[in-house]
Amino acid sequence: MCIGIPHRLEAVADHRGRSESGEVVDLALLSGDVAVGDWVLVHAGIGVAVLDEADALAVRNALEAVAAAARGENVDHLFADLVGREPTLPPHLQTGNETT
């Protein structure tokens, strides 16, 4: 299984960055400018996507939830946006939106 982990960059030079955790991140695959303070989804030391802060924190919460669930802990606080509402399918999977 491949997992990307969000990192906030604290230094950027050429096509490399350093995250808050000290990890060196290869930024060569990312299009556009990447700057200090940006969130980057990192897989195996390579930046694969630039994320906004909300998405980066949602991914971090999901990863923490997996670890907490494995420890038998409650994870509701990590999914506050989902607790207390019925799940919905994305529009392209809802009945009546089939393509032929």
Side-chain angles (χ1 to χ4, degrees):
M1 176 169 58
C2 300
I3 296 177
I5 300 174
H7 289 270
R8 184 179 297 198
L9 298 175
E10 67 175 20
V12 175
D14 298 318
H15 292 289
R16 296 216 181 277
R18 188 180 67 249
S19 73
E20 293 174 329
S21 66
E23 182 173 343
V24 174
V25 179
D26 184 336
L27 305 172
L29 295 179
L30 300 175
S31 61
D33 292 329
V34 181
V36 170
D38 285 350
W39 285 94
V40 177
L41 189 64
V42 178
H43 171 70
I46 299 171
V48 295
V50 177
L51 303 173
D52 63 31
E53 185 171 34
D55 287 341
L57 296 178
V59 172
R60 280 192 169 184
N61 284 345
L63 293 171
E64 174 56 30
V66 170
R71 294 187 301 264
E73 299 171 4
N74 183 297
V75 297
D76 287 354
H77 66 286
L78 296 168
F79 296 107
D81 60 324
L82 301 176
V83 173
R85 71 173 177 91
E86 288 295 317
T88 58
L89 291 172
H92 68 282
L93 294 177
Q94 294 175 7
T95 303
N97 292 331
E98 298 88 2
T99 59
T100 55

